[in-house]
Structures are given as C-alpha cells and as structure tokens.
Amino acid sequence: MRAVGTVHRDYKISSIDPRLYGSFVEHLGRAVYTGIYEPEHPTADANGMRQDVIDLVRELDVPVVRYPGGNFVSAYNWEDGIGPKEDRPVRLDLAWHTSESNQVGIHEFADWAKAANTEMMLAVNLGSRGLDEARAFLEYVNHPGGSYWSDLRRKNGREEPWNVKLWCLGNEMDGPWQIGQKTAEEYGRVAFETAKAMRAFDKSIELVVCGSSSPKMPTYPAWEATVLDYTYDSVDYISLHMYFENHAGDTAAYLAQNARLDDYIETIASVIRVTKAKKRSKKDVYISFDEWNVWYHSNEADRKVLEGRDGWPHAPELLEDIYNFEDVLQVGCILNTFIRRADVVKVGCLAQLVNVIAPIMTVPGGPAWRQTTYYPYLFASRYGRGTSYQLSIDCPSYKTDFAEAVPYLDVSAVESDTDGALTLFIVNRHETDAITLDVALEGFGDRKVIMDKLIAGHALKAVNGPDKQTVEPVDGSGVSVGEGRLKAEIAPLSYRMIRLGQ
C-alpha cells in the first residue's frame, strides 16, 4: 500500500497559537487533591504541590491551563478559596456529587501554575451567579491595588496582580446537567453584559463565550448562531467541546472519528463567517476547543458517585480512564486535526491534565506516571508550534457509517518557529498493512532526519501503569530523505513523528 503527497513552502494554513496545546484542571475527582496538591507527599513543595507532577507538566510544556471548571464552575463561589485555609468552607458540589474542601483556590492554583511554567485560563460562574461576581473576580485577580477586591488579594498574601488575559464566560451553558442551564437567548444576553463589564475594566483581556457542549446537542448549531449574534463584537473565541469513545469496540470507526471533529469545526467556522458578514464586523472570532479527549473507559465505575449512591465523598476516584495503545492513535488524529485547522482553532485544552481523563496519573503517597496518551500530546506540544502547512496526500481510504472516505494515513505538517525544522505527525489507521509514504518537499531545501519517534507494535488494549511503561516511544528507522523527497514505511496501527532539519 502506498501514499504519495506534497508539502509546499508556499501553501501555509496558518501560524499556530501555542495555546492550542493547553490543558485543564477542574475541581473534579482527584485532579486537584492527590493530583496536583498533596501536602503529605514526599515530593510536595512548600505550597503542598506535588513536584513529581510539576516536573511532568513542565516536560509537556503546557502553555495554558483552564481552571476551575468545567461543570464545577457553574455553582462555584470563588471567594470560598481565598483567605486562611482553616476558615474556608466545605461546600457540596452539585456537579459531581462530591464535597469540596476549598483548600486549593486561586492563590494556590496561581502558585502551582507558575511552578509548572504555564499560564492561567480562568472561568467565571454564569450558572448560579453572574456579572457582579465575575467583575469582582477579575478585579481581585488583575487590579494592582487601591480597590476593595485588589486590596483583599494583597491582604491575602499576593501583592502583585496575576494579570490573567484569557477568561471563559461560564461553561457548557446549554447542558441540562449544568447548574443554571440557560437558553441561547438567556445566555447570550448575560454573556454580552458580562463581557461588557469585564472589558470596561480591561479592554485587552480575551474572552471565550460558550458554544455547544457537543455536536450532539439538539440546539447545535443554532446555539452558536444565537449566542454570537449577541456577543460577536464583545468576545474573541467561542468554545467547543468533544469527547471520543469506542464502546462498540470498532477500531476502524473509532479512529475515523476525527472526521466528525473536522465537520464540527467547519460548521462553527461557517457560523462565525456568517455572523461576521451579518454584522458587517471587522473583527475575527476564533474557536477555543477547550475540552477534548478520549472519555469512556471509566463510565461504569463512576456511576455510584455520580448518581449519589456514595454520599458526598471528597476527591473520590472519578473519570479515571486508563488509556491504551488504541487511544494513542486517536489522540494523534485529534491533534492532527487541530493542526490542520489552526486557521480557526487557536486555543485547545486537553481535558484534563492529572488523574481525571488525563495523560498524567498519580498514586496517593506514591509515584506519578505517564499514560499512553501522554506521548502524542508531548510531541505535538513540543514540536507542533510554528506554521501549519497544507499536505496533499493521495492515500487509500475506507468507509464508515459517518464518513465516506477516511484516509488510512492521517498526517499534519508543521515548520518550527524556533529551529526551522519541518515535522510530520503521522498516524496509520490500517490494522494490518504498512503504508509506504512518499512526500515531495517543495521549497524546503536540503533536509535531513533529526528526530524520528515511533509508537507501534502493541496490542490495542495495552496500557501503562505506575510500575510499568508498556507503551512508550522508541526511535524509528528507515526514513530516507533526498532529492526533495521523504520516503518512509509507516507500520500498521502506528503513531510516528519525523522531524527534518537543515
């Protein structure tokens, strides 16, 4: 089987916003408590944060982390997480049917973000609360001093403002599971007024308005059209969320699901274009894909807590999917889609970062370890920054019940804005056949292979654990580069990253 393609220096898609490779930490399950925060852990720093987790996050080079939710934020009082820890209230979290101790709030998370070398992306509660609480939170976080909320921050130990630039106007406000669910009209109005108030404080902040919780929502895509009609000139991004599952055990269909992702992105990109034209606006609004991941392995195990049959536990095991080799290929395909749509998708948040449907897992009192999906995320984050290129590939394809022609090879191409290397991210979806890839490199000059990483040859259900890393990358081989062409044999069911330097 053979795939022939071309990547041309003149056919650029877009520069890639580094925040495309962001992530997410919600007060959910063990994401915070025994995830990033465990004061009794042997590696805990002076703030009670696990240094072993910080080291893994720094290795991923995560540019931005969304916080504190997620569903959690829609009934969250941010003031509960400030001041002396012994005075903070325990609250019942209706979103996940758990207890929240509030031992971690904005101060602790900000200190963690600095240690992890990442920026904060904060969400305000537009479910049970509204405009006034949102502007107070913004003032507390970003005002230097001389006002009630900024002086309270200083009293609580933080003299300088954090100057957070990226803010989410609520979360999944169309979802019936949401505390304070709203119609598109109701949400559009409150989002517009909140955006107006926040911009009155600081016109330079960037605002994310809620789009559909998923393309399966009955209101999609009318929701986006209505919400943008209210908010278009007041916001910078509209959020999209999508999760991927394989309950049916159909590998071919599972690995084709980024075709649905591409349709979702294009539909909302079209809504954005129509709204811009309708309003005769000079402003561009982009997509913040601030929740995405594989999520299905833990569904059955979560029911006891989510249905309230376990009382109100604090930081129980929830959404702790253990990812397998098949999920490596899926995450690789998703990231390739975002790279190819970097013209409209500017922010992305892998949901989530630690323990909760996450690439990093922890054992309380024990080690932190890398899930299988850690590696495609690592490679994209570290080597997928720069300029995205069109890559024309003539490749055999297959059909599913939702896509007519799914190419067996899924490929994206990025030229680095630091070292100038051209990186190809490649997934072979074929279950039995290797594919010979032959790509013409037009206008890129003489190149040589400077890195070749491969994840292949594992059973689809192979997983990693705290004691054994079964699925991890190895060095690839057999790539030839000469006379303006790259040739490589891409193994069946494999993820591969090839970097070409000068």
Side-chain angles (χ1 to χ4, degrees):
M1 194 174 293
R2 185 176 177 83
V4 179
T6 301
V7 56
H8 196 293
R9 191 60 171 270
D10 292 341
Y11 292 94
K12 300 175 181 178
I13 296 172
S14 175
S15 61
I16 296 171
D17 189 319
R19 295 175 300 178
L20 187 64
Y21 307 113
S23 194
F24 181 22
V25 170
E26 181 174 2
H27 283 256
L28 158 59
R30 297 194 309 116
V32 173
Y33 305 107
T34 73
I36 66 170
Y37 179 75
E38 190 178 350
E40 299 80 18
H41 194 270
T43 71
D45 64 16
N47 297 315
M49 299 298 178
R50 290 184 56 146
Q51 187 62 50
D52 57 349
V53 172
I54 289 172
D55 291 343
L56 290 176
V57 175
R58 289 177 69 93
E59 182 179 72
L60 287 169
D61 197 12
V62 181
V64 68
V65 177
R66 182 173 173 238
Y67 175 85
N71 292 345
F72 174 80
V73 79
S74 292
Y76 177 55
N77 301 331
W78 66 267
E79 305 95 321
D80 290 344
I82 62 175
K85 289 188 178 184
E86 61 270 19
D87 295 337
R88 297 181 188 178
V90 174
R91 301 287 191 189
L92 300 183
D93 171 32
L94 302 177
W96 302 107
H97 213 278
T98 56
S99 295
E100 171 53 53
S101 68
N102 285 300
Q103 292 302 288
V104 171
I106 181 61
H107 287 262
E108 292 78 18
F109 183 74
D111 288 344
W112 175 85
K114 181 179 180 181
N117 195 32
T118 190
E119 298 293 328
M120 294 188 288
M121 175 183 185
L122 296 179
V124 300
N125 176 356
L126 294 187
S128 67
R129 308 185 86 187
L131 183 158
D132 211 37
E133 294 82 7
R135 73 184 184 91
F137 191 25
L138 175 61
E139 181 183 317
Y140 186 91
V141 171
N142 279 9
H143 194 55
S147 69
Y148 175 81
W149 289 111
S150 61
D151 285 347
L152 182 58
R153 181 198 69 242
R154 296 168 70 188
K155 179 182 177 182
N156 288 332
R158 172 71 186 193
E159 184 68 25
E160 298 300 320
W162 289 293
N163 293 318
V164 174
K165 291 300 182 185
L166 191 56
W167 294 79
C168 301
L169 301 174
N171 172 75
E172 294 187 352
M173 299 305 300
D174 59 338
W177 55 85
Q178 206 65 222
I179 305 302
Q181 178 193 11
K182 293 175 172 57
T183 66
E185 289 78 10
E186 291 169 339
Y187 173 67
R189 281 290 302 149
V190 73
F192 169 73
E193 292 296 342
T194 303
K196 184 169 69 175
M198 294 176 78
R199 289 212 187 279
F201 173 83
D202 182 356
K203 290 182 172 58
S204 72
I205 59 173
E206 296 178 280
L207 300 177
V208 183
V209 73
C210 291
S212 294
S213 304
S214 115
K216 297 178 182 178
M217 297 300 293
T219 53
Y220 159 81
W223 171 277
E224 283 84 356
T226 300
V227 167
L228 284 176
D229 201 40
Y230 280 103
T231 64
Y232 189 89
D233 285 311
S234 302
V235 300
D236 303 284
Y237 308 94
I238 186 163
S239 72
L240 301 185
H241 295 173
M242 191 172 184
Y243 293 96
F244 302 80
E245 54 82 20
N246 188 20
H247 286 294
D250 185 338
T251 296
Y254 177 53
L255 297 181
Q257 286 186 33
N258 66 327
R260 285 175 162 161
L261 173 61
D262 204 48
D263 288 344
Y264 190 17
I265 293 169
E266 180 52 34
T267 298
I268 302 309
S270 298
V271 172
I272 292 170
R273 289 192 293 268
V274 168
T275 307
K276 179 179 180 178
K278 175 183 175 181
K279 292 185 171 293
R280 297 173 173 82
S281 178
K282 296 181 179 179
K283 179 183 178 67
D284 288 315
V285 170
Y286 297 100
I287 290 171
S288 171
F289 220 110
D290 49 39
E291 286 189 33
W292 68 270
N293 206 347
V294 173
W295 176 16
Y296 75 99
H297 297 286
S298 65
N299 291 167
E300 194 58 39
D302 296 334
R303 293 187 187 281
K304 184 178 179 182
V305 173
L306 298 181
E307 292 173 359
R309 292 184 279 120
D310 200 31
W312 297 88
H314 179 258
E317 294 183 4
L318 274 176
L319 281 62
E320 296 202 7
D321 276 30
I322 300 300
Y323 293 122
N324 57 39
F325 171 58
E326 186 178 50
D327 300 325
V328 171
L329 307 179
Q330 177 67 275
V331 168
C333 289
I334 296 166
L335 288 163
N336 279 348
T337 303
F338 290 151
I339 289 169
R340 292 192 296 262
R341 292 314 314 264
D343 58 326
V344 65
V345 182
K346 298 299 182 181
V347 180
C349 297
L350 174 68
Q352 295 188 15
L353 187 55
V354 185
N355 286 332
V356 173
I357 49 174
I360 299 169
M361 298 294 291
T362 70
V363 177
W369 51 279
R370 301 169 182 84
Q371 290 240 56
T372 62
T373 55
Y374 183 94
Y375 297 105
Y377 179 37
L378 169 73
F379 291 140
S381 177
R382 295 189 73 90
Y383 304 115
R385 305 185 188 199
T387 300
S388 174
Y389 279 86
Q390 294 181 25
L391 187 60
S392 173
I393 298 285
D394 183 7
C395 178
S397 62
Y398 65 99
K399 182 179 179 180
T400 72
D401 61 358
F402 55 84
E404 286 295 319
V406 180
Y408 280 111
L409 279 192
D410 189 276
V411 191
S412 66
V414 177
E415 186 177 36
S416 171
D417 55 7
T418 54
D419 65 4
L422 179 66
T423 302
L424 300 184
F425 300 97
I426 308 163
V427 176
N428 183 355
R429 298 179 171 107
H430 204 289
E431 296 184 49
T432 59
D433 292 0
I435 298 176
T436 300
L437 177 63
D438 184 350
V439 178
L441 309 172
E442 298 287 350
F444 289 95
D446 293 334
R447 295 273 167 163
K448 61 183 179 181
V449 177
I450 59 172
M451 186 180 293
D452 183 1
K453 294 295 181 181
L454 171 68
I455 308 176
H458 302 281
L460 285 173
K461 304 307 178 185
V463 300
N464 290 347
D467 301 317
K468 187 175 182 181
Q469 298 288 289
T470 302
V471 179
E472 57 184 4
V474 298
D475 290 335
S477 62
V479 178
S480 67
V481 181
E483 297 181 351
R485 304 193 76 87
L486 175 148
K487 297 180 181 179
E489 191 86 351
I490 309 301
L493 291 178
S494 65
Y495 170 91
R496 195 160 184 179
M497 181 192 70
I498 302 170
R499 304 196 76 225
L500 304 176
Q502 292 180 320

